Amino acid sequence: MATELLYLTDAYLTEFDGIVVAVRDGAVALDRTAFYPTGGGQPHDTGTLGDLPVVDVRKDGDHVWHSVEGGPLPSIGDLVHGVVDWARRHHLMRTHSALHVLCGVIWNEWRVPVTGGNMEPLSARMDFEFDPLPEGFGPRVEQLVNDELAADRPIEVSFLPRSTAVMDEDLIRTKVSMIPESVPEIRVVDIVGLDKQADGGTHVHTTGEVGRIRVVKTESKGKGNKRIRLEVVDA
Ligand SMILES: [Zn+2]
């Protein structure tokens, strides 16, 4: 049985009960989980399952595996209580949403697509197809992003049939076609009026909840590939 991914519909859920469906070397799979597994550029959650600290979360096939420290491990069929470390998760949600705002701003202002990225709680890097970076880029993009954060735009999550999603202009821009055809329904994260992407990550409710960003550094990673390092700070 596939693990039900509770974070897809409620990113603010921090406690849940699940039934152990599989156990392997130091890790437990449940029928449902609120723990986010590493993927889509967003690192995994931490927290506890019962009394055991959760130190890593990975998706493998249909199951989400929670690596725990100590023991003994629960057994198949046991009901366990999971608690997600909310401080870390919320920092990651703020950071992830900030990166979508950055993508939207850069597309609107310069029509340049993103090529890659990675995030940690309250810090991130993203690469864009600039060549070269425009004059005064760092302070300018910081201002534009912070304006959008201050505008407190709603961030909405919805699920679209694949056939509808692939016709959506904004989703085409963010490469919805890269999603395997076997996926019948596509999860969409819409920062209303700014940026819309197919995305499996966890996000805050509005851009105001992000706070502000600070551009720490810009650097060239080669032709047509420029890196922006940023941190997320309280407004
Ligand atoms: Zn994302």
Side-chain angles (χ1 to χ4, degrees), residues 29-46:
L30 306 173
D31 64 337
R32 58 211 294 267
T33 190
F35 281 89
Y36 185 84
T38 297
Q42 182 178 331
H44 66 84
D45 290 328
T46 59

Side-chain angles (χ1 to χ4, degrees), residues 6-79:
L6 302 170
Y7 57 82
L8 290 179
T9 47
D10 185 1
Y12 290 78
L13 180 69
T14 59
E15 298 204 27
F16 67 100
D17 293 305
I19 295 168
V20 177
V21 295
V23 178
R24 67 185 188 195
D25 201 24
V28 175
L30 306 173
D31 64 337
R32 58 211 294 267
T33 190
F35 281 89
Y36 185 84
T38 297
Q42 182 178 331
H44 66 84
D45 290 328
T46 59
T48 54
L49 271 187
D51 296 332
L52 306 176
V54 174
V55 294
D56 193 16
V57 187
R58 301 267 160 187
K59 194 156 185 287
D60 183 7
D62 282 344
H63 284 153
V64 172
W65 288 93
H66 309 75
S67 295
V68 294
E69 268 179 354
L73 293 183
S75 307
I76 290 173
D78 286 357
L79 186 69

Side-chain angles (χ1 to χ4, degrees), residues 75-213:
S75 307
I76 290 173
D78 286 357
L79 186 69
V80 292
H81 186 65
V83 180
V84 174
D85 180 335
W86 175 244
R88 173 180 164 89
R89 158 66 82 73
H90 192 240
H91 287 166
L92 287 165
M93 286 162 58
R94 288 168 62 194
T95 308
H96 199 154
S97 297
L99 292 180
H100 283 220
V101 170
L102 177 69
C103 288
V105 159
I106 287 183
W107 179 259
N108 287 345
E109 190 74 7
W110 292 285
R111 287 290 184 269
V112 167
V114 63
T115 55
N118 197 45
M119 77 191 82
E120 294 297 325
L122 303 184
S123 72
R125 61 172 170 79
M126 279 219 114
D127 299 339
F128 292 88
E129 242 177 63
F130 281 110
D131 210 14
L133 277 181
E135 183 109 359
F137 173 77
R140 173 85 179 127
V141 76
E142 183 177 291
Q143 183 63 54
L144 289 169
V145 169
N146 283 331
D147 288 349
E148 293 292 354
L149 296 177
D152 204 21
R153 291 180 184 272
I155 303 177
E156 296 175 355
V157 174
S158 59
F159 295 82
L160 293 181
R162 191 176 204 286
S163 54
T164 307
V166 295
M167 302 296 284
D168 185 298
E169 247 178 64
D170 295 319
L171 296 176
I172 290 168
R173 167 171 75 75
T174 52
K175 302 198 170 74
V176 70
S177 59
M178 304 283 280
I179 295 170
E181 290 202 20
S182 57
V183 177
E185 195 180 52
I186 291 179
R187 182 174 182 267
V188 174
V189 174
D190 185 7
I191 302 180
V192 177
L194 178 65
D195 181 86
K196 189 155 49 159
Q197 300 188 32
D199 192 90
T202 57
H203 289 265
V204 290
H205 282 319
T206 70
T207 62
E209 198 175 326
V210 171
R212 295 173 59 80
I213 66 139

